[in-house]
Amino acid sequence: MAKDALNPRMDFSNQIILIAGLLLLLSVFATVLSARVGAPLLLVFLVLGMLVGEEGPGGVLFDDIQLAHLVGSLALAVILFDGGLRTEAASFRVGLRPAVTLATLGVVLTAALTGAFATWVFDLHWIEGLLIGAIVGSTDAAAVFSLLHANNLELKQRVASTLEIESGSNDPMAIFLTIALVEILAAGGARLDWSLAQTFALQMGVGALAGLGGGWLLSRLINRIVLLPGLYPILALAGGLVIFGVAAVLEGSGFLAAYLAGLVVGNRRLQGGQNIRRFHDGIAWLAQIGMFLILGLLVTPSELLPIAPQALLLAAALILVARPLAVVLCLLPFRFPWREHVFISWVGLRGAVPIILGIFPLLAGLEGAQGYFNAAFFVVLVSLLVQGWTVAPAARLLGLEVPPRTGVVQRVELDIPGQQDLELVGYRLERDSPVVQRDVPRAALPEGVQLASVVRGGRPLPTCDLASLTEGDFVYLLATPENVAALDRLFGAAAAPPRLEERQFFGDFVLDGEARMADVAMMYGLAQAPDMAASSLSEYLSGHLKARPVVGDRLRLGHVEFVVREVEGGRIRKVGLKIVR
């Protein structure tokens, strides 16, 4: 009898495991389809969840709001921690101030403008309209990170840094606004008061302190404790979740804490650092897949149809009016070129966060809560369909791509005590690799880099030097992370379309940034200007460019176009020169 009672439960568990495995397998295979047809990958996961749901072929009834909120919050914490791990501190010099402005003031402006339109189109009280605006007011880190990397887009650093930092740090503001407005409506209130500012300061302050302090402690713990290699990634993940939880329990922003903790940990030398990053890259994908499948299951497609006209108008107002206006106002002090304004406005994608925030009114039992959720879901669908499908074409149209960085075959950190910054770096040489083309001198290796081995035909060569390398060789070198960029330029061969080939993009001539501008002008027959005499080429370009210089910035003088090739410490080191006909 006991065995008979146990069998149905075991069968149910086995079926759940089978279904979960099949869904994950389908999601992984969907990435191949997404790459071929150009569909945003997160949209594929969302639609797959809807197909499995109660009105799809799968027929699975799922209406557990609490479980969906738990899964969504956990997944977001993992995604934001991973986003922090992958954000280089160097990008903060370029994108921090504009990104933080967009992540705070930009979210408020977007929410207010969208909320005003929602009040009119849905005929709501202005607090209710503002709640809808807050729910859809932030861009989604998962959506932005996924689309930028899935399309292999190498954007100008100013644009890429601003987008990645903004999308990773603006969720706390949207979450704060949503929770505050839900509490006001649940209490029967109809106005805002200054206590919101105090609550905001508390949440952001506690979240920032928990994230920065917790990240510092976690990085020290990883470097001090001796574990099996496979446990370091789990330690990092557990630490990130603990930091999220501690901040949330102390009434701070757990999401801000998770992102900042990842940022601190990711920019320090770590034991097993490469394994930690690879593991978190995979776990972040798993979190995205699980989150979007759950959210797709939660929605009832037939309930979207009655609100489709109003929600479509709301999405259009958000995409075409609210986000662009907020971006223009926020970036005005930073003198971004207009092309970058347009792209940052357009890539304000909505993803899982608005759908998760749409669950909050349902949890609070607000009247009309299902309508808020459905509106948020519809806006996300439109955003992923319209904006997500056009990210790459928009970047090309606006001329914001730069030649891709050459990539290594493999980077393996050598976890030798006292040598945490030493790596084994490998390349497969292509026909157009500079070292194969003999475009580099014999003694071109940076100081401190050692050629470890050359593998040809599957066998390591007993001896080899740079002059004897050929196409198809695998080259392995001992190096520090600071030297990898220089090694890329020697051994790498990035596959790029003709428009992004180095000579096509930067021009045939390379000038030193310290060259006197007056000499350059005289050599190329340019009209002399008073500010050229006492300026280097770097100083002259920096003074005439609208924002802090990054690779790919251009300035045209007569028949000559200067293109920034290399920037170090905010100063232009190398400049490409194109003769414009």
Side-chain angles (χ1 to χ4, degrees):
M1 293 294 293
K3 183 178 180 180
D4 292 339
L6 185 61
N7 281 337
R9 297 178 183 178
M10 291 180 63
D11 289 342
F12 178 74
S13 299
N14 294 335
Q15 290 169 9
I16 292 295
I17 293 172
L18 175 62
I19 292 171
L22 287 174
L23 283 175
L24 284 175
L25 194 62
L26 285 172
S27 299
V28 171
F29 286 141
T31 62
V32 180
L33 174 65
S34 171
R36 290 186 176 180
V37 302
L41 190 54
L42 302 185
L43 176 64
V44 175
F45 297 153
L46 203 59
V47 171
L48 185 58
M50 294 170 67
L51 291 174
V52 176
E54 60 178 311
E55 294 186 346
V60 175
L61 176 61
F62 178 80
D63 57 0
D64 192 332
I65 303 298
Q66 189 68 51
L67 178 59
H69 175 260
L70 174 61
V71 171
S73 298
L74 179 62
L76 273 180
V78 171
I79 291 166
L80 288 170
F81 185 71
D82 176 67
L85 282 175
R86 292 192 292 170
T87 301
E88 297 179 4
S91 65
F92 272 60
R93 289 194 293 268
V94 177
L96 179 61
R97 290 188 299 163
V100 169
T101 305
L102 286 171
T104 51
L105 179 60
V107 172
V108 173
L109 290 173
T110 302
L113 293 168
T114 308
F117 192 84
T119 300
W120 171 71
V121 76
F122 287 108
D123 192 22
L124 299 172
H125 185 275
W126 70 271
I127 291 280
E128 296 173 312
L130 188 58
L131 174 58
I132 293 180
I135 289 172
V136 300
S138 72
T139 60
D140 194 323
V144 173
F145 293 156
S146 173
L147 282 170
L148 290 179
H149 293 291
N151 285 281
N152 294 317
L153 281 177
E154 190 75 30
L155 298 176
K156 292 173 68 172
Q157 187 187 16
R158 181 168 50 245
V159 177
S161 299
T162 299
L163 283 172
E164 292 209 10
I165 297 171
E166 181 215 358
S167 63
S169 58
N170 67 2
D171 294 338
M173 174 61 83
I175 292 168
F176 164 75
L177 290 175
T178 300
I179 292 176
L181 292 168
V182 166
E183 290 177 349
I184 289 172
L185 289 172
R191 64 184 182 85
L192 306 178
D193 56 52
W194 287 106
S195 64
L196 284 178
Q198 296 176 340
T199 306
F200 172 76
L202 174 65
Q203 288 198 7
M204 298 302 113
V206 171
L209 288 174
L212 295 173
W216 180 79
L217 288 173
L218 179 58
S219 62
R220 288 182 62 86
L221 179 62
I222 291 171
N223 284 334
R224 284 180 176 271
I225 194 169
V226 179
L227 296 171
L228 294 173
L231 291 178
Y232 286 109
I234 298 175
L235 173 61
L237 176 63
L241 294 178
V242 167
I243 292 168
F244 171 88
V246 168
V249 168
L250 295 176
E251 299 186 357
S253 173
F255 297 102
L256 179 62
Y259 177 73
L260 292 178
L263 182 68
V264 172
V265 172
N267 283 278
R268 292 176 66 89
R269 301 279 177 254
L270 300 172
Q271 292 191 82
Q274 197 70 22
N275 289 335
I276 289 173
R277 292 179 183 89
R278 287 176 179 169
F279 172 83
H280 280 83
D281 188 43
I283 205 71
W285 273 110
L286 180 62
Q288 291 183 53
I289 292 171
M291 177 172 59
F292 274 79
L293 288 176
I294 287 288
L295 295 176
L297 279 170
L298 190 62
V299 73
T300 304
S302 62
E303 294 181 357
L304 300 179
L305 296 178
I307 66 162
Q310 297 98 317
L312 188 59
L313 288 174
L314 179 66
L318 171 63
I319 294 170
L320 300 177
V321 179
R323 168 72 178 181
L325 189 55
V327 167
V328 169
L329 292 175
C330 289
L331 297 185
L332 199 59
F334 305 104
R335 302 172 64 194
F336 275 47
W338 70 267
R339 294 174 184 271
E340 297 175 15
H341 276 262
V342 172
F343 187 77
I344 292 172
S345 299
W346 187 250
V347 189
L349 280 94
R350 270 62 196 170
V353 173
I355 303 177
I356 293 172
L357 294 184
I359 295 174
F360 288 12
L362 291 170
L363 289 173
L366 294 185
E367 184 180 352
Q370 189 64 49
Y372 303 148
F373 176 81
N374 292 337
F377 196 96
F378 196 96
V379 168
V380 170
L381 284 179
V382 173
S383 178
L384 289 175
L385 278 169
V386 176
Q387 295 172 291
W389 230 304
T390 56
V391 167
R396 297 187 191 106
L397 181 64
L398 294 168
L400 299 180
E401 284 185 290
V402 296
R405 300 174 186 173
T406 53
V408 295
V409 172
Q410 193 174 27
R411 290 178 66 176
V412 179
E413 291 186 350
L414 304 179
D415 289 332
I416 303 172
Q419 297 293 330
Q420 294 171 9
D421 58 346
L422 197 60
E423 297 183 5
L424 182 65
V425 185
Y427 298 85
R428 183 186 187 280
L429 300 186
E430 305 292 345
R431 179 177 301 177
D432 55 347
S433 298
V435 73
V436 174
Q437 294 291 324
R438 308 294 184 256
D439 291 338
V440 297
R442 282 174 172 259
L445 290 180
E447 184 179 355
V449 174
Q450 177 68 45
L451 181 62
S453 180
V454 176
V455 178
R456 184 177 297 166
R459 296 184 178 182
L461 300 181
T463 60
C464 193
D465 58 29
L466 297 185
S468 62
L469 296 176
T470 64
E471 178 186 356
D473 286 349
F474 287 83
V475 181
Y476 295 92
L477 307 105
L478 289 176
T480 57
E482 293 78 11
N483 285 319
V484 172
L487 294 177
D488 280 351
R489 292 191 288 271
L490 291 176
F491 298 97
R499 70 181 184 281
L500 294 179
E501 290 180 357
E502 287 218 354
R503 289 187 177 179
Q504 178 69 23
F505 188 86
F506 292 110
D508 292 321
F509 306 100
V510 181
L511 305 178
D512 192 319
E514 299 306 316
R516 290 182 66 245
M517 186 61 200
D519 295 340
V520 174
M522 182 167 46
M523 180 178 296
Y524 291 97
L526 302 178
Q528 294 280 349
D531 57 346
M532 290 182 178
S535 300
S536 66
L537 179 57
S538 172
E539 292 166 343
Y540 184 84
L541 292 180
S542 297
H544 285 74
L545 292 172
K546 291 186 175 181
R548 182 181 178 128
V550 296
V551 173
D553 278 345
R554 298 170 181 270
L555 180 67
R556 181 169 177 176
L557 296 177
H559 62 284
V560 167
E561 185 175 48
F562 296 100
V563 187
V564 177
R565 281 186 68 110
E566 187 178 318
V567 178
E568 183 180 335
R571 190 170 182 84
I572 300 171
R573 296 300 181 189
K574 292 184 180 179
V575 179
L577 185 143
K578 300 179 71 173
I579 305 298
V580 182
R581 296 178 177 84

